[in-house]
Amino acid sequence: MKMRIIDSYRWQEDIIKPFSKELGTTEEELKEILIKRLDMSSLEAIHPRFESSKHYCIKERVHADLRLCWLCDVMNILSEEKTEQIKNKIAEEILTQGKSYEKAIEDGRKDLLEYLMR
Amino acid sequence: MKMRIIDSYRWQEDIIKPFSKELGTTEEELKEILIKRLDMSSLEAIHPRFESSKHYCIKERVHADLRLCWLCDVMNILSEEKTEQIKNKIAEEILTQGKSYEKAIEDGRKDLLEYLMR
């Protein structure tokens, strides 16, 4: 039964394929992990949770990749409002405009440095 | 006066060199940003803050790079305790054993996948 959920087309496309890549593992291994570690009801809950958490988790990645921890939280060179604005813009570009994470973060880094140099 | 602080040996070694690399900018640009955006007293406060925040900021990076947002916060495949343990171990290896971030995260990823497959 668990296998049937995970092998469905939507699960494959939305979770297994992209997330195995992000984790640096194979699709088979990721399936094995999910089946081993989750019961039926948790498994069913994951698809909507995964979708709705994308914005939040991408922003966490951007925070780390643009070193906003240091720029905002430690050095106070960037305000929290500006930091949020930067992260929301990048997440938007990825989630609604279909930009790749790599391209979006590269553009975001340029914008950030330009802003800081102003 | 600001320039004198920033140009000191410790500032160069502890902040300017490593952080310009992390930000993807030049040392000159980073200095310009710091001088433009911080007053004297903020500037003086940064060195100790920078040092003491390393552990915290590295853990944020690890959280993002190992996709712990998804594994722990969204999927509940990893407990918060285990997540903390993984992040602390990696931060320790970098800060006290002198491992590079890249090597530590690579080893951490292997350990994580091994743990998840258990």
Side-chain angles (χ1 to χ4, degrees), chain A residues 19 22-25 29 32-34 36-38 46 49-50 53 56-57 60-61 63-67 69-71 73-77 109 113 115-118, chain B residues 19 22-25 29 32-34 36-38 46 49-50 53 56-57 60-61 63-67 69-71 73-77 109 113 115-118:
Chain A
F19 195 56
E22 297 219 13
L23 260 192
T25 184
E29 275 174 343
E32 209 179 310
I33 290 167
L34 291 167
K36 200 177 294 174
R37 297 209 160 241
L38 293 172
I46 277 192
R49 288 189 66 149
F50 193 80
S53 64
Y56 173 77
C57 288
E60 273 203 3
R61 259 180 94 184
H63 197 82
D65 286 342
L66 293 186
R67 306 297 185 264
C69 180
W70 273 293
L71 292 173
D73 309 343
V74 177
M75 295 180 164
N76 288 318
I77 287 179
R109 190 188 309 277
L113 287 173
Y115 174 80
L116 288 173
M117 293 290 284
R118 232 179 259 164
Chain B
F19 196 56
E22 297 220 10
L23 261 192
T25 183
E29 275 173 343
E32 209 179 311
I33 290 167
L34 290 168
K36 199 176 295 175
R37 297 209 160 241
L38 293 172
I46 278 193
R49 287 188 66 145
F50 193 79
S53 63
Y56 173 76
C57 288
E60 274 202 4
R61 260 180 93 185
H63 197 82
D65 286 343
L66 293 186
R67 307 296 185 264
C69 180
W70 273 294
L71 291 174
D73 309 344
V74 177
M75 294 180 165
N76 288 315
I77 287 179
R109 191 189 309 277
L113 287 173
Y115 174 80
L116 288 173
M117 294 289 283
R118 232 179 260 164

Side-chain angles (χ1 to χ4, degrees), chain B residues 51 54-56 58 90-99:
Chain B
E51 291 299 311
K54 272 185 184 167
H55 190 82
Y56 173 76
I58 286 176
I90 295 176
E92 276 289 301
E93 289 175 350
I94 295 167
L95 292 174
T96 67
Q97 298 166 35
K99 240 190 206 183

Side-chain angles (χ1 to χ4, degrees), chain A residues 2-4 15 19 24 31 37 44 47 49 59 64 71-72 76-77 87 89 92 98-99 106 109 111 114:
Chain A
K2 286 184 187 176
M3 206 60 203
R4 223 166 64 194
I15 302 180
F19 195 56
K31 284 185 200 176
R37 297 209 160 241
E44 282 179 320
H47 196 278
R49 288 189 66 149
K59 279 173 69 179
L71 292 173
C72 172
N76 288 318
I77 287 179
K87 291 192 285 188
K89 180 166 180 271
E92 276 289 302
K99 240 189 206 183
E106 195 189 303
R109 190 188 309 277
D111 290 347
E114 229 175 81

Side-chain angles (χ1 to χ4, degrees), chain B residues 3 5 9 31 54 104-105 109-110 113 117-118:
Chain B
M3 206 60 202
I5 297 181
Y9 179 74
K31 284 186 200 175
K54 272 185 184 167
I105 202 83
R109 191 189 309 277
K110 271 185 213 144
L113 287 173
M117 294 289 283
R118 232 179 260 164

Side-chain angles (χ1 to χ4, degrees), chain A:
Chain A
M1 274 300 279
K2 286 184 187 176
M3 206 60 203
R4 223 166 64 194
I5 297 180
I6 286 184
D7 274 335
S8 74
Y9 179 74
R10 286 260 55 92
W11 254 83
Q12 280 294 321
E13 294 300 310
D14 296 342
I15 302 180
I16 303 296
K17 280 187 194 172
F19 195 56
S20 61
K21 221 180 270 177
E22 297 219 13
L23 260 192
T25 184
T26 65
E27 294 179 20
E28 287 316 309
E29 275 174 343
L30 177 57
K31 284 185 200 176
E32 209 179 310
I33 290 167
L34 291 167
I35 287 176
K36 200 177 294 174
R37 297 209 160 241
L38 293 172
D39 60 27
M40 196 63 193
S41 65
S42 315
L43 209 55
E44 282 179 320
I46 277 192
H47 196 278
R49 288 189 66 149
F50 193 80
E51 291 299 312
S52 65
S53 64
K54 272 184 184 168
H55 190 82
Y56 173 77
C57 288
I58 285 176
K59 279 173 69 179
E60 273 203 3
R61 259 180 94 184
V62 173
H63 197 82
D65 286 342
L66 293 186
R67 306 297 185 264
L68 300 173
C69 180
W70 273 293
L71 292 173
C72 172
D73 309 343
V74 177
M75 295 180 164
N76 288 318
I77 287 179
L78 272 185
S79 68
E80 284 191 29
E81 295 69 38
K82 186 67 194 173
T83 302
E84 272 302 300
Q85 194 187 317
I86 290 170
K87 291 192 285 188
N88 283 328
K89 180 166 180 271
I90 296 176
E92 276 289 302
E93 290 175 349
I94 295 166
L95 292 175
T96 66
Q97 298 166 34
K99 240 189 206 183
S100 72
Y101 183 86
E102 288 65 30
K103 174 75 179 128
I105 202 83
E106 195 189 303
D107 292 345
R109 190 188 309 277
K110 271 185 213 145
D111 290 347
L112 170 64
L113 287 173
E114 229 175 81
Y115 174 80
L116 288 173
M117 293 290 284
R118 232 179 259 164

